[in-house]
């Protein structure tokens, strides 16, 4: 009772004592003092990290679906199993370190199992397919832990400091994405020309779109006269379900100029799709997509990546990642072809201001010429 600094606080402590059941210990005086110090109810039972995590996630209303899923997996796989039941006010640096000690223990078991040719069975691992968690993923786990605890500390004032700052992880080093030379890009474009996704790959290699942007591209966003596709929708694959969404950032909503050869291929694809649609009749599922399966449904983004790698491997090319390697290749090809840096940035969606569908004639001509320059550079390297 003496911990109370005012009548109201002393009254709440007294109520807690009066309500206590016989034989049930009262909370430690240090815990009560801590709760009073951070403005919490001295009689509270103590919020757990797991409860704080759920409340924090519920308040993240503006998360993209992919970002939400990533955080949900971090919580379910790494944070909640390690510290979910720990009272938030008692969470310390040792608890936070335990999160990453568990990661290392699981990594050790997975690595040993692979070396011995057996299935890994890490104790306490809740994932369906255990795999090594690299330093980059560990930094993502740390970032989520830091953010939720900062929210409890600085926004809600239910803890007096953020204990995760006691953790020091190995520095994250991001290797430069692999890319293809102009000759290699030409070989891939030729090898994929007869594939249903060949034109999609051609445009991505030459212009640098993201995978989700291309599988979500719609015929309604094509301007045939201008020779452009406006990026306005992206398709995400979350847990096996394909979900439409907005482009990654404000600058990702942009208009892409195609070279003349790509535009002719796009016209041929449009005519072929109309024939396929008429043949399918009622079986056709109209999503308005430029690139779709035989029944009109979207290509799963993960399938697009797998098909990209399969074609590259069959062509004897270095197998690069479609997203990082493809965009890095497009950026490098533009640079090698002499395309202005601003045009490259705006085409990739990296500029500080988004491109719109409205251009002056000179501006449109510059972007159109850039598309032709890159296509001609790659074609020349492949001849």
């Amino acid at each position: 009772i003496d911990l109370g600094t005012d009548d109201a606080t002393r009254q709440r402590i007294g109520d807690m004592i009066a309500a206590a059941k016989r034989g049930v210990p009262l909370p430690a005086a240090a815990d009560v003092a801590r709760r009073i110090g951070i403005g919490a109810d001295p009689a509270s039972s103590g919020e757990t990290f797991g409860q704080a995590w759920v409340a924090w996630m519920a308040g993240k209303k503006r998360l993209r679906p992919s970002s939400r899923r990533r955080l949900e997996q971090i919580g379910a796989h790494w944070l909640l199993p390690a510290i979910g039941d720990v009272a938030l006010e008692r969470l310390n640096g040792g608890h936070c370190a335990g999160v990453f000690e568990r990661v290392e223990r699981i990594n050790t078991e997975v690595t040993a199992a692979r070396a011995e040719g057996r299935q890994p069975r890490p104790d306490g691992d809740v994932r369906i397919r255990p795999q090594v968690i690299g330093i980059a993923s560990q930094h993502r786990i740390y970032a989520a832990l830091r953010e939720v605890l900062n929210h409890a500390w600085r926004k809600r004032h239910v803890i007096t400091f953020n204990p995760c700052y006691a953790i020091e992880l190995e520095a994250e080093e991001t290797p430069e994405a692999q890319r293809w030379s102009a000759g290699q890009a030409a070989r891939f474009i030729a090898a994929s020309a007869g594939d249903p996704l060949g034109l999609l790959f051609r445009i991505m290699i030459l212009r640098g779109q993201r995978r989700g942007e291309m599988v979500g591209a719609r015929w309604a966003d094509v301007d045939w006269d201008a020779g452009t596709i406006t990026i306005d929708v992206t398709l995400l694959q979350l847990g096996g379900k394909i979900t439409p969404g907005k482009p990654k950032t404000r600058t990702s909503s942009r208009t892409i100029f195609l070279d003349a050869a790509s535009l002719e291929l796009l016209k041929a694809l449009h005519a072929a799709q109309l024939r396929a649609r008429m043949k399918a009749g009622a079986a056709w599922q109209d999503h308005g997509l430029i690139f779709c399966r035989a029944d009109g449904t979207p290509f799963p983004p993960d399938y697009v990546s797998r098909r990209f790698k399969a074609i590259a491997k069959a062509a004897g090319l270095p197998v690069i990642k479609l997203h990082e390697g493809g965009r890095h290749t497009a950026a490098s090809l533009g640079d090698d072809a002499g395309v202005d840096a601003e045009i490259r940035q705006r085409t990739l969606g990296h500029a500080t201001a988004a491109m719109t569908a409205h251009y002056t004639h000179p501006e449109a001509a510059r972007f159109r010429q850039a598309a032709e320059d890159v296509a001609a550079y790659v074609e020349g390297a492949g001849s």
Side-chain angles (χ1 to χ4, degrees), residues 15 41 105 107 128 139 141 163 178 243 292 316 325 365:
D15 291 342
D41 185 349
R105 175 171 53 78
N107 279 351
I128 297 175
H139 276 271
I141 296 169
Q178 289 182 295
T243 304
C292 59

Side-chain angles (χ1 to χ4, degrees), residues 21-22 59 137 160 164 170 194 196 220 280 285 320 323 336 347 362:
K21 295 181 179 180
R22 184 178 297 276
S137 295
T160 56
C164 84
E170 178 184 339
Q285 300 182 43
I320 64 176
H323 179 77
D336 294 342
T347 300

